[in-house]
Every structure is written in structure tokens, then in C-alpha cells.
Amino acid sequence: HHVLRPTMQLRPIPALSDNYIWLLCDAQGQALVVDPGEAEPVRRAIERHDLALTHILLTHHHHDHVGGSAELAQQFGARIVAPADERIAPVHHRVRDGDVLTLEKPKCQFSVLEVPGHTLSHVAYFGAGMLFCGDTLFSLGCGRLFEGTPAQMLASLDRLSVLPASTKVCCGHEYTVDTARFALTVDPDNPALRERAQQARQLRASGPPTLPATLAQERDTNPFLRVDRDGIKAWGKKAGVKADRLQLFAALRQAKDEFRA
Ligand code: ZN
Ligand code: FE
């Protein structure tokens, strides 16, 4: 593993039907992956690019995010990092809110943020200008509330949305074309959203991922980050929702659950 590569490289590996496994590797080919829902596509990338897989970061316990982790850890000797939740095993290092994860290979550092909502023990990893947010924040959307309350999810999204504008948002799924359809129904007059929706459709028609997006882009376009903005407030008014931002968020999340394109 002594092939020199120019810099840190980040790429999404498509997996299962619409998951992304994020691969980050340094100039020496030391690599980590985030949320390997299956082992095989990671194995192929590791072998094709002659990488050494040192760490596996997990955001939450759902099978489409952890399914390949034990196998990869065993085959490559990688350490599994995950939130404190007995539903995730095996794990070598448990993390919780406020922890700083310092890795030597690849050389990088991540802050751990607990972001309950999609699940109760969901965490996000923020560092090196990247945010690995699993199924909490999607481009133009957010995760379903399987375990948490709207208040928890809104608080989680509020924490993520104040990270630096240039942050690369690395989500767990390629949902952008789908989330755009709903977003356009609630914020139809947002020009940045219309542009992003069109860009996403064009990208997917020819194949490349729509991710990572930047946090600045999400703040301008993602309705779930815009409950304090006029466009979403106007939607709430029409839908008969009280002006309160939490009720507006809850109504938005429910409308998305019921939305059929
Ligand atoms: Zn999930
Ligand atoms: Fe998922």
C-alpha cells in the first residue's frame, strides 16, 4: 500500500438499491468507510484501488447501513466505530455526543453528534469538511421518524444546519430526485430548489450521484431546514398548521410520509 495518491479522496459507493457507502482514503491508500450496508462493493473498491481498510464508521443500527460491517472488519482487520446501541454488534469503539474521533490512518478527526429522530441512537460524524449523516439529513429531505419524535428530529437538524456552509453533506441514500418532487410541492417558488431539482434529474439520468451536496445548498433548498422561512410558512398557512416551527416541521414530515408522486 505505498502507491502515492494526491490528497484525501471521498467517494460514494452505490450499494443495495439506493444506499451510499462513503469511502474516504488518504494519499497512502489508508481508507475508512461509512455505513457499509453490504460488504461486496466495498471489497471491490478496496481491491481495485489497492487500499487498506482501517475503520468502519456506523451512524445507526439499520441493516442497510451495518449489514457488511462485521464481514469487512474480519476480512481487513478494520475497527468498527458505532453509537452506544446494543442492536449494533460487533463494535470495537462506541461513541457518544461530543466525542472527538481522532484517526491516524487515514489521518483525520471527526466530532460525534447525537442526532435522534430517524432512530434514537443515530449519530453523525463531522470533520475534515465532511458530514456523514446517515438517514438524518438527506438532500432536500430528512429521514423518517421510526423511533424519535418530531421535536427530536427538528433539534437534530437544527444542530446540523449550523455547521459551516461549505460542509459536504454525505447522506446514506440517493433520494434526491424523489425528495425534490415533494419539496417542490411545499416550496414551489424557491428558485434555488427548482434549479437543484433539475440538476438532480439530469445527473441521475446520466448516472452520477447527486451527492455530496453542500450545507449551504441544503439551507437554500431543503424544506426541512427551512421551517423559519417564508416559503414554508406560507405552505403551513395554506395547510392550516399553526405558525409554531415545531408544528410546522411535524406537519411537513407527515405530509412527506403521505406524499405519493
Ligand atoms: Zn435507516
Ligand atoms: Fe437507510
Side-chain angles (χ1 to χ4, degrees), residues 18-19 35 60 62-65 118 134-135 138 146 172-173 175:
D18 49 27
N19 280 74
D35 284 359
H60 68 294
H62 287 160
H63 192 74
D64 63 313
H65 297 255
H118 178 67
D135 290 354
F138 293 126
F146 286 117
H173 290 267
Y175 283 162

Side-chain angles (χ1 to χ4, degrees), residues 39 57 92 149 163:
L57 275 52
H92 302 98
T149 63
L163 293 173

